[in-house]
Amino acid sequence: MMQVHYVMYEGIKFPSAYNSEHSLSFTHNEFQVRDDDIFNVTYPKSGTVWMTEILSLIRSRGCPGWNRTVLNSDRVPWFSTRLGLESALSYLPPRLLTCHLPRHIFPKSFSSSSAKVIYTLRDPRDVVVSSYYFSKMCNSYEDPTSFEQFLRDFLNGELPHGSWFEHVRGWMEMKDKENFFFITYEELKQDLHSSVRRLCRFLGQDLDDDAISSVVQNASFMSMRENPMCNSILLPTDIMDQTKGQFLRKGICGDWENHFTVAQSETFDRIYWERMQGLNVTFPWDQH
Ligand code: A3P
């Protein structure tokens, strides 16, 4: 098994294949946010790459050309990583940028800007499952020993990018701010058309119904799977071992039910309700 290294920054563990102490500290302390920046922020496996496609398609008013010819990481750079930072700095504004950063290490200059943040979140149980399979195929993450152990690590906030609970709580503090928009993976799945319409309104982009339909069609799971500019097949084998799985794996809600035992589900619920207390938001997965 390949040795996996992490870099620690402000108490959070990041894969060192993409991140360095310098890229993280530069992003945090020196990165100059512009008022016209649009940030796609997520905890890993919550729909990051999906939102990247949606945002680029909205920018192209539904025309798929850009999405089909330019890699997602060049359209919406991972600005806190070593390579992503370079492409963010040379990006002709207005910029579309993406990251998994928790709120407390997001660029300091953001606070005094009117840049927009789109925060996508997903049922944490599906996040664990998706993350478990992703860790098996992605060589910059440690191979999970078992699902049981992986779930424990997730609940203890010991996976790369830190605790899901802290991430969500940190970002959701912004929920009433005008430049903050949050949406769930579940809402995107349930009604992509009206989700895109809401996104357009937030972004101040007026797309007609045909344009929105084209965004929806080109951001579908099937279209994305066929698009090498976002399905990850162009990534080198030492980063992503495509023989061990598929990045666009299932694309469904509720796959956790096929993985959690009753006991795991009970433990999960107990910790979830403890950790989410006082947040005052109801997510689609909270009502059952
Ligand atoms: P699964 O592993 O459950 O299939 P991220 O981009 O944050 O790493 O998230 C990856 C997850 O989003 C994967 O979940 C992937 O299949 C899913 N996904 C990506 N594009 C999607 C789409 N168009 N529709 C539904 N799910 C999508």
Side-chain angles (χ1 to χ4, degrees):
M1 199 174 91
M2 237 187 295
Q3 185 68 31
V4 174
H5 297 281
Y6 295 109
V7 34
M8 287 294 286
Y9 184 77
E10 300 270 327
I12 311 275
K13 184 161 110 173
F14 295 89
S16 61
Y18 324 107
N19 303 274
S20 64
E21 167 102 38
H22 172 262
S23 71
L24 290 160
S25 134
F26 183 91
T27 309
H28 184 202
N29 298 299
E30 289 165 68
F31 189 81
Q32 284 307 309
V33 171
R34 299 172 46 98
D35 285 334
D36 56 2
D37 283 341
I38 294 166
F39 292 96
N40 171 25
V41 182
T42 59
Y43 186 84
K45 312 321 290 175
S46 304
T48 328
V49 169
W50 194 3
M51 188 53 78
T52 289
E53 289 312 286
I54 296 171
L55 294 177
S56 347
L57 284 160
I58 291 179
R59 174 147 300 172
S60 330
R61 312 190 71 76
C63 298
W66 195 33
N67 289 51
R68 288 186 190 159
T69 51
V70 177
L71 268 177
N72 53 2
S73 51
D74 290 327
R75 282 181 269 120
V76 189
W78 292 89
F79 75 105
S80 65
T81 66
R82 278 181 281 115
L83 292 174
L85 183 55
E86 278 174 43
S87 50
L89 295 175
S90 60
Y91 198 112
L92 208 62
R95 300 184 292 195
L96 291 171
L97 301 167
T98 196
C99 72
H100 292 316
L101 294 176
R103 178 67 188 92
H104 75 284
I105 48 183
F106 200 68
K108 289 179 177 162
S109 59
F110 170 65
S111 305
S112 54
S113 80
S114 53
K116 292 180 173 160
V117 166
I118 292 151
Y119 187 60
T120 309
L121 64 173
R122 182 181 190 184
D123 186 328
R125 295 165 296 188
D126 285 339
V127 169
V128 183
V129 171
S130 178
S131 194
Y132 173 74
Y133 287 103
F134 182 70
S135 302
K136 291 184 183 208
M137 69 179 299
C138 184
N139 292 324
S140 16
Y141 292 86
E142 253 157 337
D143 253 347
T145 44
S146 65
F147 183 71
E148 173 81 24
Q149 182 60 44
F150 194 81
L151 177 57
R152 212 173 298 136
D153 290 347
F154 177 88
L155 289 170
N156 292 332
E158 282 163 11
L159 295 182
H161 301 100
S163 153
W164 183 88
F165 301 101
E166 305 283 317
H167 205 280
V168 168
R169 295 192 73 103
W171 279 107
M172 290 305 289
E173 271 174 25
M174 289 199 60
K175 70 180 188 310
D176 299 321
K177 294 255 161 61
E178 225 168 73
N179 59 338
F180 181 79
F181 181 92
F182 74 94
I183 190 157
T184 60
Y185 179 98
E186 289 69 19
E187 288 167 283
L188 297 173
K189 278 295 288 187
Q190 205 197 343
D191 188 347
L192 190 51
H193 198 97
S194 68
S195 300
V196 171
R197 195 176 303 124
R198 283 172 55 209
L199 274 160
C200 287
R201 208 174 306 134
F202 172 69
L203 295 171
Q205 293 254 3
D206 88 83
L207 266 60
D208 63 25
D209 245 28
D210 284 349
I212 292 181
S213 295
S214 175
V215 173
V216 170
Q217 195 190 325
N218 288 288
S220 75
F221 188 70
M222 282 311 161
S223 309
M224 284 180 58
R225 254 200 177 172
E226 281 160 22
N227 183 359
M229 298 299 146
C230 68
N231 67 9
S232 96
I233 61 155
L234 296 175
L235 291 174
T237 317
D238 58 333
I239 293 191
M240 200 87 90
D241 188 343
Q242 315 275 346
T243 63
K244 293 188 183 152
Q246 232 177 332
F247 174 75
L248 290 154
R249 191 184 58 94
K250 274 196 182 173
I252 59 167
C253 301
D255 197 27
W256 68 269
E257 294 185 44
N258 303 316
H259 293 80
F260 281 47
T261 63
V262 172
Q264 286 168 345
S265 165
E266 283 170 6
T267 307
F268 190 98
D269 285 351
R270 183 174 48 76
I271 296 175
Y272 177 83
W273 290 111
E274 247 167 56
R275 300 294 306 272
M276 297 304 273
Q277 253 181 42
L279 192 62
N280 293 326
V281 190
T282 305
F283 297 116
W285 54 88
D286 289 335
Q287 335 150 320
H288 46 73

